[in-house]
Amino acid sequence: MPDDAAALPSRLPLDWIAASLRRERTRAGLSLSELAKRAGIAKSTLSQLEAAGGNPSMETIWALAVALGVPFSALVEPPVSSVQVIRAGEGPQVTSERASFVGTLLAACPPGARRDIYRMRAEPGPARESDPHIPGTVEHLVVSTGRMKAGPRGESVELGPGDYMAYRGDVPHAYEALEPGTTFVLIMQHV
């Protein structure tokens, strides 16, 4: 048993499992019936779990994880913030010995990912509302000039020059310039 096992709740909150099941089933493109069949459980049991009801056993969760092709932990880990912000001047920095040059790592690219990089310009006015992109999309944004608000619906963050932000791009999100001449770099990562 891991050293931190004592820190885990004795019973996992059902809403974690419900959200994880819905997310992973949707990503896999499976219906309730198909997933229940693959996992060898009743469709009503799966429906109840996705509605945050019931009392799932380890075996049931394990069978669902196998049927979904995901690790067990993907269904029981607590949710983490879907938004990451690194303010200007923060983050891990590496300096050059031979020049006045400093690099700050903002995000590492996971294996098998594709990234598209855009230079963007925005002016104050209505926010640019964006529909969800393909599943697994993550957006990385670095403000160059001006100020803006960006992020998923209900989680937008105000950013200034040099600020970095990462968030899910496969949910509704928006960009809004707060100052004239706002510019930023947008990197869309597709896994």
Side-chain angles (χ1 to χ4, degrees), residues 99-142:
S100 179
F101 192 87
V102 177
T104 303
L105 176 65
L106 300 178
C109 187
R114 187 182 113 204
R115 286 191 172 165
D116 301 328
I117 302 172
Y118 302 90
R119 183 179 50 222
M120 311 291 281
R121 181 176 179 86
E123 298 296 330
R128 162 66 171 97
E129 301 286 336
S130 181
D131 291 328
H133 302 301
I134 61 174
T137 299
V138 175
E139 293 195 358
H140 302 264
L141 188 149
V142 180

Side-chain angles (χ1 to χ4, degrees), residues 5 27 34 51 61-62 67-68 83 94 163-164 187:
R27 284 185 185 166
E34 182 60 27
I61 297 170
W62 199 278
L68 288 164
V83 175
V94 179
D163 288 347
Y164 162 80
I187 301 151

Side-chain angles (χ1 to χ4, degrees), residues 50-133:
E50 283 198 9
N55 187 16
S57 67
M58 178 184 289
E59 292 77 12
T60 299
I61 297 170
W62 199 278
L64 287 164
V66 170
L68 288 164
V70 299
F72 178 84
S73 61
L75 299 181
V76 298
E77 283 179 320
V80 294
S81 175
S82 60
V83 175
Q84 175 189 4
V85 176
I86 298 176
R87 297 291 181 189
E90 295 178 354
Q93 296 184 347
V94 179
T95 58
S96 171
E97 294 178 352
R98 299 181 186 173
S100 179
F101 192 87
V102 177
T104 303
L105 176 65
L106 300 178
C109 187
R114 187 182 113 204
R115 286 191 172 165
D116 301 328
I117 302 172
Y118 302 90
R119 183 179 50 222
M120 311 291 281
R121 181 176 179 86
E123 298 296 330
R128 162 66 171 97
E129 301 286 336
S130 181
D131 291 328
H133 302 301

